[in-house]
Every structure is written in C-alpha cells, then in structure tokens.
Amino acid sequence: MEFSSWWCKPAAYLLCAGMLAPPVFAFDASLQGSLEEELRAALEGGSLLIEQSNAETDVSPQELVSIAQADYKRMLAVLYDYGYYGADIGISLDGREASSITSVAPPQQVNSAQITITPGKAFRFGRAEITPIVPGTALPEGFRPGAPARLSLLRDAVSAGTTRWRNEGHAKAKLESQTITARHTDGTLNARLKLDPGPKLRFGDLSVSGDSAVRTERILEIAGLPVGETYSPKELSDAAGRLRRTGAFSSVAMIEADTIGPGDQLAITARVVDDKPRRFGFGGEVSTIEGLSLSAFWMHRNLFGGAERLRVEAEIEGIGGDTGGTDFLLSTRYQRPSTFNEDTDLYVLGEIEQQDEVNFFSRQLTIGTGIERIASDQRSYRLGVALRRANTRDAFGEDQYTLLLLPTGATFDYRDRLLDARKGYYLDAEVSPFYAIKGADNGLLTEVDARVYRTFGTETSTTFALRGQLGSVIGPGLEDAPTDFLFYSGGGDTVRGHDYQSLGVDIGNGQIVGGRSFLGLSAEVRYRTAGSLGYVGFIDAGYIGREAFPDGSGEWQSGAGLGLRYDTPIGPIRFDVAVPTSGGDDTSSWQVYIGIGQAF
C-alpha cells in the first residue's frame, strides 16, 4: 500500500515552526517589603512587571527579563520621589535575580516575579535653597528644611523659579547648577539650586513657517504678537490661541529662537498647518412630540485667503409633530477675525426663519452686522445692528412689522466642561433695543441665562446644578409687542413634564399668547457612580406674566422627574422622565426627553 507524501513536508514545516517558536506564559508578580500604604501603591503603579501580570496578554520569558531589568530604575525613581535614597531593591524571576540573567539566554519559563524592597530611612531636607528668585515666587510648600526630601519637590522648585523669571521677561531662564548631598548618618538631604535668569528680553520679529493658504500678513495680524514689547509667555500663548480660534489651522506652534538677537530681542516663528478649507455636515432627530427634524451645514474656513469663515445652515423641524406646524431656518454668517484689532471679529449675517408654533405663527427675514470682542477664552462681548421684517399671527390677529435692532450681549463661560459641567458658572445676557420702523412700538428685549455648578466627591460624586432664566419685553403693550419676542413656558428647555409652550397669557375663550415677562428656575442633583452610569433628580418651574418684569401677578407651572445618564466620549447620553407638579397640564401625564449632554 502506498501513500502520497505531498502533504508531509508542509506538515513537518509547521511542526518544526511550532517547536522553534518561543513559548509564552502567564505569570504572577508581587511586591514584598514593609512599606507604607501610599508608597506601596506608588511602587505597584510604577512597576511594569505588576502591570504585565495584571494584563490579559502573555509575554515570552525573554521579554519578562527585559521588563524586570527595566523595573530597577523605575522602582528607584519612585523611591527617590518619596525621599528614600538608601533603599535596597531586589527583583527575582523564579528565585533568580533578574539583573544576573542575560537576555540572550533567558529561562525557558517564568512562573513568578517577586520585587523585594527595603526602603531604609526616609530622608528630610536639611537645607533647601534656590537662588536667585523673583520676590514673591510661590515655591512648593514642601521645599523647606525638615520636610520629606521628595525628588519631585526639587523639580517643582526649579519649575516655579524659572517660570516666574519667564513671566518677568527672562525667556531663557534655566537651572545653572545644583549641589545635592545626602547624609546617610542623619537621613538629611542638602539641596542648593542655582538659577540663571538670563537677560530680560523683548519680542523680536514674528515669522511664519508652513505652506499655508492664509496670507502671511493676515497670520501676523491675527496673531497680534506685540513685537518690541517685553517678552511674556501669556502673550505668546494668546497669539497661538488667536490663530487656533480662526479654525483655519489644524496645528499651531509658536517656536522661540534658540539664540538671543540684537538688542535683547527674541525672534518667534509661527509654525502652522492648514486644516481642510471646506466642511459640511448633516443630522436628524426624531421626537414623539416635536416630530422629525433635519439639519445640514456647509462651511468654508478661508474664503478670501485671510482666514475668513463663511457658514451656511439649513434646518427644518416639526415634521409630523404636535408643536404646531413646520419650522424652518436658513442662515448664512460671514466672520472675519482680527478686523479692528487682534481680539475683535467682524460678522455679517442673514436669516430667513419660519416658526409655526401652537399659539403663534411668524415668518421673518433678518440681515445684520456687528462685532464680537473676545476678551479671553471665557469672556466675550458683542454689539450689532440688524434689520428685521416679519409677518406674524397670534390670538390678537395678523401683523406685519419692520424693526431696527441693536443687539448687545456678553457671555461668561467658566464651566469646566461644555456638555457635562461639574464646577464653575455660565452667564449669557443680551439686551436688544428695537426701533419700530413699521407695525410695532419701540422697546427693549432682555434675555438672561445663568447657571452654576458645584461637585462633591471624586470617584463617586454628586453635582448640584442650578439654572435661572429671565426674559422681558419693555415698552410696547401685550397686543403691540412683536409676537415672536413674547415668552412661553413648558418643554425641555424650560419646564420638563409640561407640553411644549403650554403656559402663556390667557386672554379668554381658551386663547393663549406669549407674555412680556418670563422667569425660569431649574435645579438638578446629579449622582455619578464609579462606572459609566449616573442618576439625576430634577425640578423645574416657569413663570409667564403680562407685565414687563415678573411681579407675581402671572401664572406659574412646575415639573419634576428622574433621569439616567450614560457617559460617552462625546458627552453623557441623557434620558429624563418628568411629570407636571403644578400648572394647567394633567398631573397624571408624563414626558420623556432624550439627548446628548446634560439638560443645562
């Protein structure tokens, strides 16, 4: 009997390959020694061996030898950071000291790794000096005689000293020398650090590197670096921030020259990389109450080569919903950065909008222009002029008006997170005087939105969030005020649990119009678990009145409910269920709200 052997050679090759491949094994690693809890945790966190033993992937013995030998330096660095300068470190693999094993002849198998540390005496500073420093420099609190001699305190002291010198204009401040002596007899560490502040410098010329479609003169204008003035890290950071703020660049870096130029000037290079000039997007949302909503936008980030931005948006809402009819918005906005100075932008806008709500209808055209002053990353101010033409209809009848608007506003945003704030506050206020060219009376529209956040706890935490909203129309009476300037309450942005815009001013016969005054109050308690889930309890209240300022003569409504949050990289997914607690809606009804980000 004969057998074909064509398959034998490949099988033999595979068998041999399997025999020659280095085996991989799981292993256990432990840390031994009489150690304080904080030090033990730091050593375990710094050990690659312990990290690998907790991982699900296996490694070869040769790799384990390399990891163990690298752990000597890592353990020593942790011990120095905690002030232990005479420690003994032993690392063994199956009883063999890792330092004695060569990587070319590793063991065939490793089952256990043991790190043994005798920390010895904890050293304290006998002398802690750093000179020269700017008067008032805030050195690390622990950098003083008698305190634990942690190595990180030396680094922090140098950083604090050089940073303060840089803030005073000494851009090239550095550590010149250090004398560090450990006295093992009494467990003290004497540290003498000497800084070299270097000369006080001024900003030299700003140049641009990178093949950018934005004109060089516009890059310099937007950056606004104060050439010739005293060097300042903040000014340098602000210049980079202005360039990033345009959106025209995917990367911005401000590079200081290595050498000092004539006249103690320091040249700066702005290294920029362009972002894609055009961008578009679209989205959709379905709600049982508001129906189908569709939106899209197109944007150009560098329209004329000066980092000008043009954005065109279209949105349609209320398709098949119960909030009236179909709403739509078509808008375009042109923005030119650094027009009047480096922190003031010019904008021009145009909008066509239709609002077909339960209690009113409005179709309007608005064109306008204005300026926006960016005072900092948290503060901005705006001033504009606009012309609005509108056709409206409500319980008082149909109307047409033409208004000249002077919108003026400010935004203070000191929240730590945009979609899930845990501390800080937010304030947006806008005052818009309006002059009636046709079909209305002169007046003033005011809107304020204020929010504050405070959190207690770390791994599991509780956040208290409060929100207050205020709206007012001063001047025209209720019948003569622009219909789309009046206020309603009810729905996800005001009082959850009540129908959308269910509270207004009742003028009889079951007819409702908006009020001249609005007050909204909301409070949430947000509890976060150690995982991705969070729980929320909330209560909302809203007030609508005929009068220009809330005086209690109007009507209130309130709602309360519970919610779930699930954390994602783009923000928490929100699921809220709310019921009315007072007001005109049936208290047995309930509403569901789903979205991304907190309610406020």
Side-chain angles (χ1 to χ4, degrees), residues 376-436:
S376 70
D377 291 339
Q378 293 82 27
R379 293 182 292 116
S380 64
Y381 306 90
R382 53 194 180 273
L383 172 65
V385 58
L387 187 67
R388 176 175 292 182
R389 171 73 176 172
N391 297 328
T392 64
R393 182 179 67 248
D394 62 6
F396 290 127
E398 296 187 7
D399 195 10
Q400 295 183 353
Y401 70 77
T402 303
L403 298 179
L404 179 67
L405 302 167
L406 296 174
T408 304
T411 300
F412 296 76
D413 193 347
Y414 286 85
R415 296 172 292 180
D416 59 334
R417 306 182 186 188
L418 181 62
L419 295 177
D420 189 16
R422 304 188 182 188
K423 63 180 180 179
Y425 69 91
Y426 170 89
L427 175 65
D428 183 79
E430 184 159 304
V431 178
S432 300
F434 55 90
Y435 172 73

Side-chain angles (χ1 to χ4, degrees), residues 335-370:
Q335 188 152 344
R336 185 180 188 272
S338 303
T339 298
F340 301 100
N341 58 50
E342 63 270 16
D343 289 316
T344 303
D345 296 353
L346 170 72
Y347 70 84
V348 179
L349 60 83
E351 291 182 352
I352 300 175
E353 183 178 13
Q354 174 176 295
Q355 295 175 287
D356 191 355
E357 308 294 356
V358 175
N359 298 306
F360 75 93
F361 174 88
S362 173
R363 183 177 294 148
Q364 56 193 253
L365 168 66
T366 304
I367 56 174
T369 185

Side-chain angles (χ1 to χ4, degrees), residues 567-584:
D567 281 339
T568 70
I570 61 173
I573 297 175
R574 169 169 47 94
F575 178 87
D576 290 338
V577 179
V579 297
T581 54
S582 70

